[in-house]
Amino acid sequence: MSTNDLPQIKIAIVGAGRVGVNLAEELLGNANANYIPRCFVDISEEKAGRSIHGIPVLLESEATLETLRKHEVQEVVFAIQNLSDEKKLELYTRYINA
């Protein structure tokens, strides 16, 4: 079974900055990718409500588990540079149930 025969795992990318957008571009451009981005989650109100490469950007405070389920998110990927250990733990704790 090749990788493109496997179902793609639908992910939310936390961070709609350069790192997150680059990750989304790589996944969208790779037919053999095991992951498909369904939404971005970001703290920027300027980015929220927009879409990047057709992927909606959700405001972090509005990205509830219910909202993530509506986007069929199966896993959450963090794509944020220079994140403090405290913030990493906070985000991990918040999204572990997703």
Side-chain angles (χ1 to χ4, degrees):
M1 181 181 259
S2 68
T3 51
N4 57 0
D5 292 335
L6 297 172
Q8 289 182 312
I9 298 167
K10 298 169 185 148
I11 63 169
I13 299 174
V14 178
R18 183 173 40 90
V19 175
V21 171
N22 286 342
L23 173 60
E25 288 171 349
E26 287 292 325
L27 293 173
L28 293 172
N30 181 352
N32 292 319
N34 292 328
Y35 297 94
I36 185 76
R38 298 292 292 172
C39 62
F40 287 102
V41 177
D42 202 276
I43 59 172
S44 170
E45 291 186 16
E46 293 175 4
K47 293 177 187 174
R50 298 181 181 187
S51 66
I52 300 171
H53 299 303
I55 305 166
V57 180
L58 309 175
L59 190 60
E60 184 181 67
S61 62
E62 297 171 354
T64 62
L65 292 180
E66 180 181 326
T67 305
L68 294 177
R69 283 188 193 108
K70 287 180 185 176
H71 289 279
E72 303 177 326
V73 170
Q74 296 168 290
E75 293 185 15
V76 176
V77 176
F78 298 100
I80 306 170
Q81 286 183 304
N82 305 321
L83 199 60
S84 71
D85 289 341
E86 294 82 17
K87 187 65 176 177
K88 285 178 192 175
L89 180 59
E90 176 190 328
L91 290 173
Y92 176 79
T93 303
R94 178 176 181 178
Y95 293 113
I96 190 154
N97 293 322

Coordinates of all heavy atoms in Angstrom, one line a residue:
M1 N 0.9 -1.2 0.0 CA 0.0 0.0 0.0 C 0.9 1.2 0.0 O 1.7 1.4 0.9 CB -0.9 0.0 1.2 CG -1.9 1.1 1.4 SD -2.9 1.0 2.9 CE -4.4 0.4 2.2
S2 N 0.7 2.1 -0.9 CA 1.5 3.3 -1.0 C 0.9 4.4 -0.1 O -0.3 4.3 0.3 CB 1.7 3.8 -2.4 OG 0.4 4.3 -2.9
T3 N 1.7 5.4 0.2 CA 1.2 6.5 1.1 C 0.0 7.2 0.5 O -0.9 7.6 1.3 CB 2.3 7.5 1.4 OG1 2.8 8.0 0.2 CG2 3.3 7.0 2.3
N4 N -0.1 7.3 -0.8 CA -1.3 8.0 -1.4 C -2.5 7.1 -1.3 O -3.6 7.6 -1.7 CB -1.0 8.6 -2.8 CG -0.6 7.5 -3.7 OD1 -0.5 6.3 -3.4 ND2 -0.3 7.9 -5.0
D5 N -2.4 5.9 -1.0 CA -3.6 5.0 -0.8 C -4.2 5.1 0.6 O -5.3 4.7 0.9 CB -3.3 3.6 -1.0 CG -2.9 3.3 -2.5 OD1 -3.4 4.0 -3.4 OD2 -2.2 2.3 -2.7
L6 N -3.4 5.7 1.5 CA -3.9 5.9 2.9 C -4.8 7.1 3.0 O -4.5 8.1 2.3 CB -2.7 6.0 3.8 CG -1.7 4.8 3.9 CD1 -0.5 5.2 4.8 CD2 -2.4 3.6 4.6
P7 N -5.8 7.1 3.9 CA -6.6 8.3 4.1 C -5.8 9.4 4.7 O -4.9 9.1 5.6 CB -7.7 7.8 5.0 CG -7.2 6.6 5.7 CD -6.2 6.0 4.7
Q8 N -6.0 10.6 4.3 CA -5.2 11.7 4.8 C -5.8 12.1 6.2 O -7.0 12.1 6.4 CB -5.3 12.9 3.9 CG -4.4 12.7 2.6 CD -4.5 13.9 1.7 OE1 -5.5 14.4 1.4 NE2 -3.3 14.3 1.2
I9 N -4.9 12.5 7.1 CA -5.3 12.9 8.4 C -5.6 14.4 8.3 O -4.7 15.2 7.8 CB -4.2 12.6 9.4 CG1 -4.0 11.1 9.5 CG2 -4.6 13.2 10.8 CD1 -2.8 10.7 10.3
K10 N -6.7 14.9 8.7 CA -7.1 16.3 8.7 C -6.6 17.0 9.9 O -6.8 16.6 11.0 CB -8.6 16.4 8.6 CG -9.2 15.7 7.3 CD -10.7 15.6 7.4 CE -11.1 14.8 6.1 NZ -12.3 14.0 6.4
I11 N -5.8 18.1 9.6 CA -5.2 18.8 10.7 C -5.6 20.3 10.8 O -6.0 20.9 9.8 CB -3.6 18.7 10.6 CG1 -3.1 19.4 9.3 CG2 -3.2 17.3 10.7 CD1 -1.6 19.5 9.3
A12 N -5.4 20.8 12.0 CA -5.5 22.3 12.2 C -4.0 22.7 12.4 O -3.3 22.0 13.2 CB -6.3 22.6 13.4
I13 N -3.7 23.8 11.8 CA -2.3 24.3 12.0 C -2.4 25.5 12.9 O -3.0 26.5 12.6 CB -1.7 24.7 10.7 CG1 -1.5 23.4 9.7 CG2 -0.3 25.3 10.9 CD1 -1.1 23.7 8.3
V14 N -1.8 25.4 14.1 CA -1.8 26.5 15.0 C -0.6 27.4 14.6 O 0.5 27.0 14.7 CB -1.7 26.0 16.5 CG1 -1.6 27.2 17.4 CG2 -2.8 25.1 16.8
G15 N -1.0 28.6 14.1 CA 0.0 29.5 13.7 C -0.1 29.8 12.2 O 0.1 28.9 11.4
A16 N -0.7 30.9 11.8 CA -0.9 31.3 10.4 C 0.2 32.2 9.9 O 0.0 33.0 9.0 CB -2.3 31.8 10.2
G17 N 1.4 32.1 10.5 CA 2.5 33.0 10.1 C 3.3 32.2 9.0 O 2.8 31.2 8.4
R18 N 4.5 32.6 8.9 CA 5.4 32.0 7.8 C 5.6 30.5 8.0 O 5.5 29.8 7.0 CB 6.8 32.7 7.9 CG 7.7 32.3 6.8 CD 9.0 33.1 6.7 NE 9.5 33.5 8.0 CZ 10.4 32.7 8.7 NH1 10.9 31.6 8.2 NH2 10.9 33.1 9.9
V19 N 5.8 30.1 9.2 CA 6.0 28.6 9.4 C 4.8 27.8 9.1 O 4.8 26.8 8.4 CB 6.5 28.3 10.9 CG1 6.6 26.9 11.1 CG2 7.8 29.0 11.1
G20 N 3.6 28.3 9.6 CA 2.4 27.6 9.3 C 2.0 27.6 7.9 O 1.5 26.6 7.3
V21 N 2.1 28.7 7.2 CA 1.8 28.8 5.8 C 2.7 28.0 4.9 O 2.3 27.3 4.0 CB 1.8 30.3 5.3 CG1 1.7 30.4 3.8 CG2 0.7 31.1 6.0
N22 N 4.0 28.0 5.3 CA 5.0 27.1 4.6 C 4.6 25.6 4.7 O 4.6 24.8 3.8 CB 6.4 27.3 5.0 CG 7.0 28.6 4.5 OD1 6.5 29.2 3.5 ND2 8.0 29.1 5.1
L23 N 4.2 25.2 5.9 CA 3.8 23.8 6.2 C 2.6 23.5 5.3 O 2.5 22.5 4.7 CB 3.5 23.6 7.6 CG 2.9 22.3 8.0 CD1 3.8 21.1 7.6 CD2 2.5 22.3 9.5
A24 N 1.6 24.4 5.3 CA 0.4 24.2 4.5 C 0.7 24.0 3.0 O 0.2 23.2 2.3 CB -0.6 25.3 4.7
E25 N 1.6 24.9 2.5 CA 2.0 24.9 1.1 C 2.6 23.5 0.8 O 2.3 22.9 -0.2 CB 2.9 26.0 0.8 CG 2.2 27.4 0.8 CD 3.2 28.5 0.6 OE1 4.4 28.3 0.8 OE2 2.7 29.7 0.4
E26 N 3.5 23.1 1.7 CA 4.2 21.8 1.5 C 3.2 20.6 1.4 O 3.3 19.8 0.6 CB 5.2 21.5 2.6 CG 6.4 22.4 2.5 CD 7.3 22.1 1.3 OE1 7.4 20.9 0.9 OE2 7.9 23.0 0.7
L27 N 2.2 20.6 2.3 CA 1.2 19.6 2.4 C 0.3 19.6 1.2 O 0.0 18.6 0.6 CB 0.4 19.7 3.7 CG 1.2 19.4 5.0 CD1 0.4 19.7 6.2 CD2 1.7 18.0 5.0
L28 N -0.1 20.8 0.8 CA -1.0 20.9 -0.3 C -0.3 20.6 -1.7 O -1.0 20.1 -2.6 CB -1.6 22.4 -0.4 CG -2.5 22.8 0.7 CD1 -2.9 24.3 0.6 CD2 -3.8 21.9 0.7
G29 N 0.9 20.8 -1.7 CA 1.7 20.6 -2.9 C 2.2 19.2 -3.1 O 2.8 18.8 -4.1
N30 N 2.0 18.3 -2.1 CA 2.6 17.0 -2.1 C 1.4 16.0 -2.1 O 0.7 15.8 -1.1 CB 3.4 16.8 -0.8 CG 4.0 15.4 -0.7 OD1 3.7 14.5 -1.6 ND2 4.9 15.2 0.2
A31 N 1.2 15.4 -3.3 CA 0.1 14.4 -3.4 C 0.2 13.2 -2.5 O -0.7 12.5 -2.3 CB 0.1 14.0 -4.9
N32 N 1.4 12.9 -2.0 CA 1.7 11.8 -1.1 C 1.6 12.2 0.3 O 1.9 11.3 1.2 CB 3.0 11.1 -1.5 CG 3.0 10.5 -2.8 OD1 2.0 9.8 -3.2 ND2 4.0 10.6 -3.6
A33 N 1.3 13.4 0.6 CA 1.3 13.8 2.1 C 0.2 13.1 2.8 O -0.9 12.8 2.3 CB 1.0 15.3 2.2
N34 N 0.5 12.7 4.0 CA -0.4 12.0 4.9 C -1.4 12.9 5.6 O -2.3 12.5 6.3 CB 0.3 11.1 5.9 CG 1.0 9.9 5.3 OD1 0.6 9.4 4.2 ND2 2.1 9.5 5.8
Y35 N -1.1 14.2 5.5 CA -1.9 15.2 6.3 C -2.5 16.2 5.3 O -1.8 16.6 4.3 CB -1.0 16.0 7.3 CG -0.4 15.0 8.3 CD1 0.8 14.5 8.2 CD2 -1.1 14.7 9.5 CE1 1.4 13.6 9.1 CE2 -0.6 13.9 10.4 CZ 0.6 13.3 10.3 OH 1.1 12.5 11.2
I36 N -3.7 16.7 5.6 CA -4.3 17.7 4.8 C -4.8 18.8 5.8 O -5.5 18.6 6.7 CB -5.5 17.2 4.0 CG1 -6.1 18.2 3.1 CG2 -6.6 16.5 4.8 CD1 -5.2 18.5 1.9
P37 N -4.3 20.1 5.5 CA -4.8 21.1 6.4 C -6.2 21.5 6.2 O -6.7 21.7 5.1 CB -3.8 22.3 6.1 CG -3.2 22.0 4.8 CD -3.4 20.5 4.5
R38 N -7.0 21.6 7.3 CA -8.4 22.0 7.3 C -8.6 23.4 7.8 O -9.6 24.0 7.4 CB -9.2 21.0 8.1 CG -9.1 19.6 7.6 CD -9.8 19.4 6.3 NE -11.2 19.5 6.6 CZ -12.1 19.6 5.6 NH1 -11.8 19.5 4.4 NH2 -13.4 19.8 5.9
C39 N -7.8 23.9 8.6 CA -7.9 25.3 9.1 C -6.6 25.7 9.8 O -5.8 24.9 10.2 CB -9.1 25.4 10.1 SG -8.9 24.4 11.6
F40 N -6.4 27.0 9.9 CA -5.4 27.6 10.7 C -6.0 28.1 12.0 O -7.2 28.5 12.0 CB -4.7 28.8 10.0 CG -3.9 28.5 8.8 CD1 -4.3 28.6 7.5 CD2 -2.5 28.0 9.0 CE1 -3.5 28.4 6.5 CE2 -1.7 27.8 7.9 CZ -2.2 27.9 6.7
V41 N -5.3 28.2 13.1 CA -5.7 28.8 14.3 C -4.6 29.9 14.6 O -3.4 29.5 14.7 CB -5.8 27.8 15.5 CG1 -6.2 28.5 16.7 CG2 -6.8 26.7 15.1
D42 N -5.0 31.1 14.8 CA -4.0 32.2 15.1 C -4.6 33.2 16.1 O -5.8 33.3 16.3 CB -3.7 32.9 13.8 CG -2.4 33.6 13.8 OD1 -2.3 34.7 14.3 OD2 -1.4 33.0 13.4
I43 N -3.7 33.9 16.7 CA -4.1 34.9 17.7 C -4.4 36.3 17.1 O -5.0 37.1 17.7 CB -3.1 35.1 18.8 CG1 -1.7 35.6 18.2 CG2 -2.9 33.9 19.7 CD1 -0.7 36.0 19.3
S44 N -4.0 36.4 15.8 CA -4.2 37.7 15.1 C -5.6 37.9 14.6 O -6.1 37.1 13.8 CB -3.2 37.7 13.9 OG -3.6 38.9 13.1
E45 N -6.3 39.0 15.1 CA -7.6 39.3 14.7 C -7.6 39.7 13.2 O -8.6 39.6 12.5 CB -8.2 40.4 15.6 CG -8.5 39.9 17.0 CD -9.2 40.9 17.8 OE1 -9.8 41.9 17.3 OE2 -9.2 40.7 19.0
E46 N -6.5 40.2 12.7 CA -6.4 40.6 11.3 C -6.4 39.4 10.4 O -6.9 39.5 9.3 CB -5.1 41.4 11.1 CG -5.0 42.8 11.8 CD -3.7 43.5 11.6 OE1 -2.8 42.9 10.9 OE2 -3.5 44.5 12.2
K47 N -5.9 38.3 10.8 CA -5.9 37.1 10.0 C -7.2 36.3 10.1 O -7.6 35.6 9.1 CB -4.7 36.2 10.3 CG -3.3 36.8 10.0 CD -2.2 35.9 10.5 CE -0.9 36.6 10.3 NZ 0.2 35.8 10.9
A48 N -7.8 36.4 11.2 CA -9.0 35.6 11.5 C -10.1 36.0 10.5 O -10.3 37.2 10.2 CB -9.5 35.8 12.9
G49 N -10.9 35.0 10.1 CA -11.9 35.3 9.1 C -11.5 35.3 7.7 O -12.3 35.2 6.8
R50 N -10.2 35.3 7.4 CA -9.7 35.2 6.1 C -9.4 33.8 5.7 O -9.5 32.9 6.6 CB -8.4 36.1 5.9 CG -8.7 37.5 6.2 CD -7.5 38.3 6.0 NE -7.7 39.7 6.3 CZ -6.9 40.7 6.1 NH1 -5.7 40.5 5.7 NH2 -7.2 42.0 6.4
S51 N -8.9 33.6 4.5 CA -8.4 32.2 4.2 C -7.0 32.4 3.5 O -6.7 33.4 2.9 CB -9.3 31.5 3.3 OG -9.5 32.1 2.1
I52 N -6.2 31.4 3.7 CA -4.8 31.4 3.1 C -4.8 30.1 2.3 O -5.0 29.0 2.9 CB -3.7 31.4 4.2 CG1 -3.9 32.7 5.1 CG2 -2.4 31.3 3.6 CD1 -3.0 32.7 6.3
H53 N -4.6 30.2 1.0 CA -4.5 29.0 0.1 C -5.9 28.2 0.3 O -5.9 27.0 0.2 CB -3.3 28.1 0.4 CG -2.0 28.8 0.2 ND1 -1.7 29.4 -1.0 CD2 -1.0 29.0 1.1 CE1 -0.5 29.9 -0.9 NE2 0.0 29.7 0.4
G54 N -6.9 29.0 0.5 CA -8.3 28.3 0.6 C -8.5 27.7 2.0 O -9.5 27.0 2.2
I55 N -7.6 27.9 2.9 CA -7.8 27.3 4.3 C -8.2 28.4 5.2 O -7.5 29.4 5.3 CB -6.4 26.7 4.7 CG1 -5.9 25.7 3.7 CG2 -6.6 26.1 6.1 CD1 -4.4 25.3 3.9
P56 N -9.4 28.2 5.9 CA -9.8 29.3 6.8 C -8.9 29.5 8.0 O -8.3 28.6 8.5 CB -11.2 28.8 7.2 CG -11.2 27.3 7.0 CD -10.2 27.1 5.9
V57 N -8.9 30.8 8.4 CA -8.1 31.1 9.6 C -9.1 31.4 10.7 O -10.0 32.3 10.6 CB -7.2 32.3 9.4 CG1 -6.4 32.7 10.6 CG2 -6.3 32.1 8.2
L58 N -9.0 30.6 11.8 CA -9.9 30.8 13.0 C -9.1 31.6 14.1 O -7.9 31.4 14.2 CB -10.3 29.5 13.6 CG -10.9 28.4 12.6 CD1 -11.1 27.1 13.3 CD2 -12.1 29.0 12.0
L59 N -9.8 32.5 14.8 CA -9.2 33.2 15.9 C -9.0 32.2 17.0 O -9.9 31.4 17.3 CB -10.1 34.3 16.3 CG -9.5 35.3 17.3 CD1 -8.3 36.0 16.8 CD2 -10.6 36.4 17.6
E60 N -7.9 32.2 17.7 CA -7.6 31.3 18.7 C -8.7 31.2 19.8 O -9.1 30.1 20.2 CB -6.2 31.6 19.4 CG -5.8 30.6 20.5 CD -4.5 30.9 21.1 OE1 -4.5 31.9 21.9 OE2 -3.6 30.2 21.0
S61 N -9.2 32.3 20.2 CA -10.2 32.3 21.2 C -11.6 31.7 20.7 O -12.4 31.3 21.5 CB -10.5 33.7 21.7 OG -11.0 34.5 20.7
E62 N -11.7 31.6 19.4 CA -12.9 31.0 18.9 C -12.8 29.5 18.4 O -13.7 28.9 17.9 CB -13.4 31.9 17.7 CG -13.8 33.3 18.1 CD -14.1 34.2 17.0 OE1 -13.9 33.8 15.8 OE2 -14.5 35.3 17.2
A63 N -11.5 29.0 18.5 CA -11.2 27.7 18.0 C -11.5 26.7 19.1 O -10.7 26.1 19.7 CB -9.8 27.6 17.6
T64 N -12.8 26.5 19.3 CA -13.3 25.5 20.4 C -13.2 24.1 19.8 O -13.1 23.9 18.5 CB -14.7 25.8 20.8 OG1 -15.6 25.7 19.6 CG2 -14.8 27.2 21.3
L65 N -13.3 23.1 20.6 CA -13.3 21.7 20.1 C -14.5 21.5 19.1 O -14.3 20.8 18.2 CB -13.4 20.8 21.3 CG -12.1 20.7 22.2 CD1 -12.3 19.7 23.3 CD2 -10.9 20.4 21.4
E66 N -15.6 22.2 19.4 CA -16.8 22.1 18.5 C -16.4 22.6 17.2 O -16.8 22.0 16.1 CB -18.0 22.8 19.1 CG -19.2 22.7 18.3 CD -20.4 23.4 18.9 OE1 -20.5 23.5 20.1 OE2 -21.2 24.0 18.1
T67 N -15.8 23.8 17.1 CA -15.4 24.4 15.9 C -14.4 23.5 15.1 O -14.5 23.4 13.9 CB -14.8 25.8 16.1 OG1 -15.7 26.6 16.9 CG2 -14.5 26.5 14.8
L68 N -13.5 23.0 15.8 CA -12.5 22.1 15.2 C -13.2 20.8 14.6 O -12.8 20.4 13.5 CB -11.4 21.7 16.1 CG -10.5 22.9 16.6 CD1 -9.4 22.4 17.6 CD2 -9.8 23.5 15.4
R69 N -14.2 20.3 15.3 CA -14.9 19.2 14.8 C -15.7 19.5 13.5 O -15.8 18.7 12.6 CB -15.9 18.6 15.9 CG -15.2 17.9 17.0 CD -16.1 17.2 17.9 NE -15.4 16.7 19.1 CZ -15.5 17.3 20.3 NH1 -16.3 18.3 20.5 NH2 -14.8 16.8 21.3
K70 N -16.2 20.7 13.5 CA -16.9 21.2 12.2 C -16.0 21.1 11.0 O -16.4 20.9 9.9 CB -17.5 22.6 12.4 CG -18.7 22.6 13.3 CD -19.2 24.0 13.4 CE -20.4 24.0 14.4 NZ -20.9 25.4 14.7
H71 N -14.7 21.4 11.3 CA -13.7 21.4 10.2 C -13.1 20.0 10.1 O -12.1 19.8 9.3 CB -12.6 22.4 10.5 CG -13.1 23.8 10.3 ND1 -13.2 24.4 9.1 CD2 -13.5 24.7 11.2 CE1 -13.6 25.6 9.2 NE2 -13.8 25.9 10.5
E72 N -13.7 19.0 10.8 CA -13.2 17.6 10.7 C -11.8 17.4 11.1 O -11.1 16.5 10.7 CB -13.5 17.0 9.3 CG -14.9 17.1 8.9 CD -15.1 16.6 7.5 OE1 -14.2 16.8 6.6 OE2 -16.2 16.0 7.2
V73 N -11.3 18.2 12.0 CA -9.9 18.1 12.5 C -9.7 16.9 13.3 O -10.4 16.6 14.2 CB -9.5 19.4 13.3 CG1 -8.2 19.2 14.0 CG2 -9.5 20.6 12.4
Q74 N -8.6 16.1 12.9 CA -8.3 14.9 13.7 C -7.0 15.1 14.5 O -6.9 14.4 15.5 CB -8.0 13.8 12.7 CG -9.3 13.4 11.9 CD -8.9 12.5 10.7 OE1 -8.3 13.0 9.8 NE2 -9.3 11.2 10.8
E75 N -6.2 16.0 14.1 CA -5.0 16.3 14.9 C -4.6 17.8 14.8 O -5.1 18.5 13.8 CB -3.8 15.5 14.3 CG -3.9 14.0 14.5 CD -2.7 13.2 14.1 OE1 -1.6 13.8 13.9 OE2 -2.8 12.0 14.0
V76 N -3.9 18.3 15.7 CA -3.5 19.7 15.8 C -1.9 19.7 15.7 O -1.2 19.0 16.4 CB -3.9 20.3 17.1 CG1 -3.4 21.8 17.2 CG2 -5.5 20.3 17.2
V77 N -1.4 20.6 14.8 CA 0.0 20.7 14.6 C 0.4 22.2 15.0 O -0.3 23.1 14.5 CB 0.4 20.4 13.1 CG1 1.8 20.7 12.9 CG2 0.0 19.0 12.7
F78 N 1.4 22.3 15.8 CA 1.9 23.6 16.2 C 3.0 24.1 15.2 O 3.9 23.4 14.9 CB 2.4 23.6 17.6 CG 1.4 23.3 18.6 CD1 1.3 22.0 19.1 CD2 0.5 24.2 19.0 CE1 0.3 21.6 20.0 CE2 -0.5 23.9 19.9 CZ -0.6 22.6 20.4
A79 N 2.8 25.3 14.6 CA 3.8 25.8 13.7 C 4.1 27.3 14.1 O 3.8 28.2 13.4 CB 3.2 25.8 12.3
I80 N 4.6 27.4 15.3 CA 4.9 28.7 15.8 C 6.4 28.8 16.3 O 6.8 27.9 17.0 CB 4.0 29.1 17.0 CG1 2.6 28.9 16.7 CG2 4.3 30.5 17.5 CD1 1.6 28.9 17.9
Q81 N 7.1 29.8 15.8 CA 8.5 30.0 16.2 C 8.6 30.7 17.5 O 7.7 31.4 17.9 CB 9.3 30.8 15.2 CG 9.6 30.1 13.9 CD 10.4 31.0 13.0 OE1 10.0 32.1 12.7 NE2 11.6 30.4 12.6
N82 N 9.6 30.5 18.2 CA 10.0 31.2 19.5 C 8.8 31.2 20.5 O 8.4 32.2 21.0 CB 10.3 32.6 19.1 CG 11.5 32.7 18.2 OD1 12.4 31.9 18.2 ND2 11.4 33.6 17.2
L83 N 8.3 30.0 20.8 CA 7.2 29.9 21.7 C 7.8 29.5 23.1 O 8.6 28.6 23.2 CB 6.2 28.8 21.2 CG 4.8 28.8 21.8 CD1 4.1 30.1 21.5 CD2 4.1 27.6 21.1
S84 N 7.4 30.2 24.1 CA 7.9 29.9 25.4 C 7.4 28.5 25.9 O 6.3 28.0 25.4 CB 7.4 30.9 26.5 OG 6.0 30.8 26.7
D85 N 8.1 27.9 26.8 CA 7.7 26.6 27.3 C 6.3 26.7 28.0 O 5.5 25.7 27.8 CB 8.7 26.0 28.3 CG 10.0 25.6 27.7 OD1 10.0 25.4 26.4 OD2 11.0 25.5 28.4
E86 N 6.0 27.8 28.7 CA 4.7 27.9 29.3 C 3.6 28.0 28.3 O 2.5 27.4 28.5 CB 4.7 29.2 30.2 CG 5.6 29.2 31.3 CD 7.1 29.6 31.0 OE1 7.3 30.1 29.9 OE2 8.0 29.2 31.8
K87 N 3.8 28.7 27.2 CA 2.8 28.8 26.1 C 2.6 27.5 25.4 O 1.5 27.1 25.1 CB 3.2 29.9 25.1 CG 2.1 30.2 24.1 CD 0.8 30.8 24.7 CE -0.2 31.1 23.7 NZ -1.5 31.6 24.2
K88 N 3.7 26.8 25.2 CA 3.6 25.4 24.6 C 2.7 24.5 25.4 O 1.9 23.8 24.9 CB 5.0 24.8 24.4 CG 5.8 25.4 23.3 CD 7.2 24.7 23.3 CE 8.2 25.4 22.5 NZ 9.5 24.9 22.5
L89 N 3.0 24.5 26.7 CA 2.2 23.7 27.6 C 0.7 24.1 27.6 O -0.2 23.3 27.6 CB 2.8 23.7 29.1 CG 2.0 22.9 30.1 CD1 2.0 21.4 29.7 CD2 2.7 23.1 31.5
E90 N 0.5 25.4 27.7 CA -0.9 25.9 27.6 C -1.6 25.5 26.4 O -2.8 25.0 26.4 CB -0.9 27.4 27.7 CG -2.2 28.1 27.6 CD -2.2 29.6 27.4 OE1 -1.2 30.2 28.0 OE2 -3.0 30.1 26.7
L91 N -1.0 25.6 25.2 CA -1.6 25.2 24.0 C -1.8 23.7 23.9 O -2.8 23.2 23.4 CB -0.8 25.7 22.8 CG -0.8 27.2 22.5 CD1 0.2 27.6 21.4 CD2 -2.2 27.7 22.2
Y92 N -0.8 23.0 24.3 CA -0.9 21.5 24.3 C -2.1 21.1 25.2 O -2.9 20.2 24.8 CB 0.4 20.9 24.8 CG 0.3 19.4 25.0 CD1 0.5 18.6 23.8 CD2 0.1 18.8 26.2 CE1 0.4 17.2 23.9 CE2 0.0 17.4 26.3 CZ 0.2 16.6 25.1 OH 0.1 15.3 25.2
T93 N -2.2 21.6 26.4 CA -3.3 21.3 27.3 C -4.6 21.6 26.7 O -5.6 20.9 26.8 CB -3.1 22.0 28.6 OG1 -1.8 21.7 29.2 CG2 -4.2 21.6 29.6
R94 N -4.7 22.7 26.0 CA -5.9 23.2 25.4 C -6.4 22.3 24.2 O -7.6 22.0 24.1 CB -5.8 24.6 24.8 CG -7.0 25.1 24.1 CD -6.8 26.5 23.7 NE -8.1 27.0 23.1 CZ -8.3 28.2 22.6 NH1 -7.3 29.1 22.8 NH2 -9.4 28.5 22.0
Y95 N -5.4 21.8 23.4 CA -5.8 21.1 22.2 C -5.6 19.6 22.3 O -5.9 18.9 21.4 CB -5.0 21.6 21.0 CG -5.3 23.0 20.6 CD1 -4.4 24.0 20.8 CD2 -6.6 23.3 20.1 CE1 -4.7 25.3 20.4 CE2 -6.9 24.6 19.8 CZ -6.0 25.6 19.9 OH -6.3 26.9 19.6
I96 N -5.2 19.1 23.4 CA -5.0 17.6 23.5 C -6.2 16.8 23.3 O -6.2 15.7 22.7 CB -4.4 17.2 24.9 CG1 -3.9 15.8 24.9 CG2 -5.4 17.4 26.0 CD1 -2.8 15.5 25.8
N97 N -7.4 17.3 23.6 CA -8.6 16.6 23.3 C -9.1 16.6 21.9 O -10.0 15.9 21.5 CB -9.7 17.1 24.3 CG -9.4 16.8 25.7 OD1 -8.9 15.7 26.0 ND2 -9.8 17.7 26.6
A98 N -8.5 17.5 21.1 CA -8.9 17.6 19.7 C -8.4 16.4 19.0 O -8.9 15.9 18.0 CB -8.3 18.9 19.1

